Amino acid sequence: ETGVTQSPTHLIKTRGQQVTLRCSSQSGHNTVSWYQQALGQGPQFIFQYYREEENGRGNFPPRFSGLQFPNYSSELNVNALELDDSALYLCASSPGGTSGTYEQYFGPGTRLTVT
Amino acid sequence: AQSVTQLGSHVSVSEGALVLLRCNYSSSVPPYLFWYVQYPNQGLQLLLKYTSAATLVKGINGFEAEFKKSETSFHLTKPSAHMSDAAEYFCAVSVKTGANNLFFGTGTRLTVIP
């Protein structure tokens, strides 16, 4: 069974640019969540996708957007990058819906640096 | 609203000593509670979870946690620390309705002294 994978591993962008991060969910999982983890902080919820629809969003501006595809993989897009967007971006998948009972399985993350 | 407070951003223990990492939660509805571990430059690995069954939860690598509703706590313990336990530990809370997103604490860095 393949776990959650993310690409790329590291990324360096310039302020004002746009970036796309990718996530492949664990086999059999239809729910994907994205989190931002700033240095020295706990992860913060960005949004969640369930069966290709956004199913909840944290306190992030609209320039953070996402997609989920029919195979349940997902993308996180960030427009107009700011220096404070520098962080580890974590993707997590879970096996079933939105009941809250299912633990989330995390990928290794993408380290984004904005200069 | 849900939130988690982890007391102590850094904890140091000697190898073989008891590990105790503290977590208090706030939730307006019955919570689900989780402990995750993060090794350097890696993602998060689930240690254990509480989902309203037994209040004493056993996890991987010898860790366990006890849900105490009266104290709104979910402290993580391990009887005997091992060098490989050195990592960052996060407590998180989720709820039973809506998106099952996790609210994380700020983490506790555990150092194990040989």
Side-chain angles (χ1 to χ4, degrees):
Chain A
E1 184 177 89
T2 305
V4 178
T5 61
Q6 293 186 242
S7 62
T9 305
H10 295 87
L11 204 53
I12 300 175
K13 289 285 189 178
T14 303
R15 188 171 50 184
Q17 286 187 317
Q18 178 266 343
V19 69
T20 297
L21 310 182
R22 296 179 174 82
C23 170
S24 292
S25 60
Q26 189 164 318
S27 176
H29 291 188
N30 58 18
T31 303
V32 172
S33 302
W34 285 92
Y35 294 82
Q36 180 195 65
Q37 185 179 16
L39 199 61
Q41 300 295 318
Q44 289 197 340
F45 175 68
I46 303 175
F47 44 57
Q48 181 182 86
Y49 279 84
Y50 171 59
R51 292 183 176 177
E52 303 179 57
E53 297 287 332
E54 187 177 292
N55 184 54
R57 188 179 182 92
N59 189 27
F60 281 82
R63 60 189 185 84
F64 285 79
S65 62
L67 283 173
Q68 189 179 30
F69 300 99
N71 66 354
Y72 303 130
S73 65
S74 177
E75 286 183 354
L76 164 65
N77 298 289
V78 186
N79 293 321
L81 284 166
E82 301 177 0
L83 296 179
D84 285 348
D85 296 334
S86 294
L88 181 67
Y89 287 85
L90 295 165
C91 170
S93 72
S94 53
T98 58
S99 68
T101 59
Y102 299 107
E103 58 264 35
Q104 298 188 14
Y105 297 82
F106 284 80
T110 294
R111 173 75 63 187
L112 173 64
T113 302
V114 182
T115 61
Chain B
Q2 293 75 39
S3 67
V4 165
T5 301
Q6 292 184 242
L7 296 176
S9 57
H10 291 87
V11 170
S12 294
V13 299
S14 298
E15 189 175 15
L18 171 71
V19 175
L20 171 61
L21 304 183
R22 300 179 185 274
C23 172
N24 288 88
Y25 70 91
S26 173
S27 178
S28 55
V29 297
Y32 293 143
L33 294 160
F34 305 82
W35 275 99
Y36 282 86
V37 61
Q38 186 176 37
Y39 297 99
N41 300 314
Q42 294 188 25
L44 302 172
Q45 181 184 9
L46 180 68
L47 280 176
L48 49 79
K49 63 177 180 178
Y50 165 76
T51 58
S52 73
T55 56
L56 181 62
V57 180
K58 294 186 184 298
I60 62 172
N61 302 338
F63 285 95
E64 64 181 37
E66 186 172 8
F67 172 70
K68 292 187 176 181
K69 184 178 179 180
S70 60
E71 299 178 7
T72 61
S73 69
F74 190 58
H75 302 330
L76 182 70
T77 60
K78 182 174 180 178
S80 177
H82 191 273
M83 295 299 294
S84 61
D85 295 327
E88 188 89 20
Y89 291 80
F90 292 96
C91 181
V93 62
S94 178
V95 295
K96 298 180 181 180
T97 58
N100 62 332
N101 54 291
L102 297 165
F103 296 86
F104 285 89
T106 53
T108 297
R109 180 168 299 278
L110 175 67
T111 300
V112 182
I113 304 165

